[in-house]
Amino acid sequence: MFHRSIKLKIVAALLVGVVGIALVCMALTRFVYERAMHAAAAQAVRNAQATFDGLERADVDKLAALLDGLVADERFKAAFVARDRERLQQLAKPLFDELRDEHSVTHWYFIDTDRTCFLRVHAPQLRGDRIPRLTLARAAEVRTYSAGKELGATAFALRVVKPLYDGDKLLGYYELAEEMDHFLARMKKQTGDDFGLLVDKDFLDAQAWARMRANNHERDDWGDRPHTVVVDSTTGGERLFDSGRRVKEVPDDGLVLDNLDRSLPHQVRGVFPVRDAYERKVGMVYVLHDTSRLHAGVDEVRVRVVAVVVLMALGLAALVVFLLEALVFDRLARMTAVVENLPARLQSGDYSVGGEIVPGPDDELGRFERFFSRFLDALGGTLRDLSGERDAARRRNGR
């Protein structure tokens, strides 16, 4: 039974090896899965950032084209130069309503040469204030278009400003702007992901924020986060936007975040910064990318890989056991049987025991088999000679 215990030990070792291989495969596929999730999140962040920038460029071009049409309209120019604010409002209001409905324009300004507001078509009661915005200052400096994102008291607006000239004489400025609250919805439509736009509180006014939330019949959430507020999102799960990270800490090319919500294991998160016209990092866009389909695909591949590897390992183990049985244990069993029967055969006078061992292939065990066969031949011959001498002595003594 000794060879059987060795066999069991070998089989047990092989089974342990198969289990070890399966565990290693599972660990490797888990590593591959995590890398795939990270790559998917990084790609989602890159796609979202490219989409955001593309929407901004497209809307700047749109607003610039609309401004070209407005500057070319002599009716607005005549009323502006004549300082006829009422006439200008009457002319502009119907067109502004059309621009708002069809092109998402939310602000239309006529601005004097000293950069004070002559007329806000969207809010005609507010006028006479000096406008310190960078886009307006740049338009005055370069004497042509200026565009950029500027942060107001509670939200972003994309602004395009164009000077109005009569020859070389500056008559004032036209400005069109749109609030960027529709950007995220358009991004979701294009990518299928969810988004949240957060702004650093350092660039907002807490009282204005509270008034805005009250006017919209919403809870004042200024204190929900230590450094930022959510100004827009495409999902109600705003808890997913919590990371404790400051806006200024987000790298320019974006960042993949850990999934803090374990109830959504197949959703990866990332974030990229949003800069204003001053090139300050004032906000960040969170990207929530659903990886359910990717997870299902990777999980299916993982099961298949583990199954194939385990089956191959089991097949290899079976082959090893078969080879050990054929090349080692069967031959050892034959030699053991000869040794076990050796005393009885020798006692009965059968000294041809060496012929019971048939050497196998010329391997380590085959060389031992030949040695063992010669040993048994020598042993049998010696005993045969001794038995013959004993018989001869008995016959002599008998005479």
Side-chain angles (χ1 to χ4, degrees):
M1 295 298 292
F2 180 70
H3 70 281
R4 294 186 181 276
S5 65
I6 293 177
K7 186 189 301 184
L8 289 176
K9 291 177 182 178
I10 292 175
V11 171
L14 290 173
L15 290 177
V16 171
V18 170
V19 173
I21 290 173
L23 293 176
V24 170
C25 287
M26 292 178 66
L28 287 176
T29 52
R30 178 64 183 176
F31 173 76
V32 171
Y33 168 76
E34 291 177 351
R35 296 295 297 173
M37 295 302 104
H38 187 278
Q43 186 61 49
V45 171
R46 288 193 294 269
N47 290 343
Q49 192 166 15
T51 301
F52 187 90
D53 294 340
L55 289 175
E56 181 179 345
R57 289 191 298 270
D59 280 19
V60 166
D61 292 341
K62 176 193 69 176
L63 293 175
L66 293 173
L67 271 181
D68 283 339
L70 298 178
V71 169
D73 193 320
E74 292 295 332
R75 297 175 302 162
F76 299 126
K77 180 179 179 180
F80 189 22
V81 171
R83 316 295 295 168
D84 191 342
R85 185 177 290 109
E86 183 177 350
R87 172 63 177 164
L88 189 57
Q89 176 69 15
Q90 290 175 349
L91 291 171
K93 184 60 168 62
L95 181 57
F96 172 73
D97 292 339
E98 182 179 337
L99 294 176
R100 181 188 58 209
D101 295 339
E102 296 184 5
H103 300 286
S104 301
V105 174
T106 55
H107 302 76
W108 182 0
Y109 298 81
F110 290 88
I111 304 170
D112 281 325
T113 55
D114 61 357
R115 304 181 194 177
T116 59
C117 179
F118 179 73
L119 174 65
R120 287 179 171 87
V121 179
H122 55 284
Q125 72 279 8
L126 302 177
R127 61 179 184 269
D129 55 307
R130 182 170 176 81
I131 298 177
R133 288 192 290 269
L134 180 62
T135 48
L136 177 58
R138 285 178 177 171
E141 180 180 353
V142 300
R143 299 170 59 90
T144 186
Y145 291 106
S146 176
K149 299 186 295 294
E150 299 207 40
L151 189 61
T154 60
F156 274 109
L158 182 62
R159 302 180 182 276
V160 178
V161 184
K162 184 176 183 180
L164 177 66
Y165 283 94
D166 183 7
D168 291 332
K169 182 181 180 181
L170 176 65
L171 302 179
Y173 305 88
Y174 289 8
E175 177 181 320
L176 291 179
E178 63 177 29
E179 292 182 355
M180 299 179 66
D181 54 358
H182 62 288
F183 267 40
L184 300 190
R186 291 165 65 186
M187 291 171 63
K188 179 173 182 176
K189 186 175 181 180
Q190 291 188 29
T191 66
D193 294 331
D194 277 304
F195 303 96
L197 176 59
L198 281 70
V199 173
D200 195 314
K201 289 181 181 179
D202 292 344
F203 300 97
L204 297 176
D205 182 271
Q207 294 182 349
W209 181 264
R211 288 194 299 269
M212 181 273 294
R213 299 288 288 186
N215 292 337
N216 294 334
H217 306 288
E218 296 174 327
R219 180 181 64 86
D220 183 5
D221 58 353
W222 183 267
D224 288 0
R225 294 170 180 78
H227 308 299
T228 59
V229 290
V230 180
V231 299
D232 191 22
S233 73
T234 61
T235 174
E238 294 186 356
R239 67 187 185 281
L240 296 173
F241 305 139
D242 293 325
S243 71
R245 191 174 299 276
R246 299 294 301 266
V247 169
K248 62 184 179 182
E249 298 172 352
V250 179
D252 290 340
D253 56 352
L255 182 69
V256 174
L257 302 173
D258 291 333
N259 184 10
L260 299 182
D261 192 338
R262 300 305 176 187
S263 66
L264 298 172
H266 306 322
Q267 192 171 53
V268 292
R269 305 186 309 152
V271 63
F272 64 87
V274 176
R275 294 180 179 271
D276 65 1
Y278 295 88
E279 290 299 317
R280 301 173 300 182
K281 289 182 181 178
V282 297
M284 52 186 172
V285 173
Y286 271 77
V287 184
L288 309 177
H289 180 66
D290 187 358
T291 59
S292 298
R293 293 178 62 184
L294 178 60
H295 172 79
V298 172
D299 201 40
E300 181 179 356
V301 170
R302 176 170 53 186
V303 171
R304 290 183 178 181
V305 168
V306 171
V308 169
V309 172
V310 169
L311 288 175
M312 291 177 62
L314 287 173
L316 181 60
L319 177 62
V320 170
V321 171
F322 171 77
L323 292 175
L324 286 173
E325 187 72 25
L327 299 177
V328 179
F329 293 118
D330 281 350
R331 296 158 71 182
L332 287 175
R334 289 194 295 270
M335 287 189 289
T336 302
V338 171
V339 173
E340 288 175 347
N341 296 326
L342 184 61
R345 294 182 64 179
L346 293 175
Q347 190 174 15
S348 65
D350 183 3
Y351 301 117
S352 59
V353 291
E356 296 295 324
I357 304 298
V358 179
D362 187 19
D363 53 19
E364 293 85 348
L365 193 56
R367 291 191 289 273
F368 177 74
E369 288 171 330
R370 284 190 289 275
F371 165 78
F372 193 47
S373 177
R374 292 193 298 269
F375 170 77
L376 292 179
D377 282 338
L379 178 63
T382 300
L383 292 176
R384 186 184 298 110
D385 293 341
L386 291 175
S387 178
E389 292 176 358
R390 182 186 62 186
D391 291 342
R394 285 177 179 176
R395 285 194 297 270
R396 286 194 300 271
N397 292 334
R399 287 201 300 265

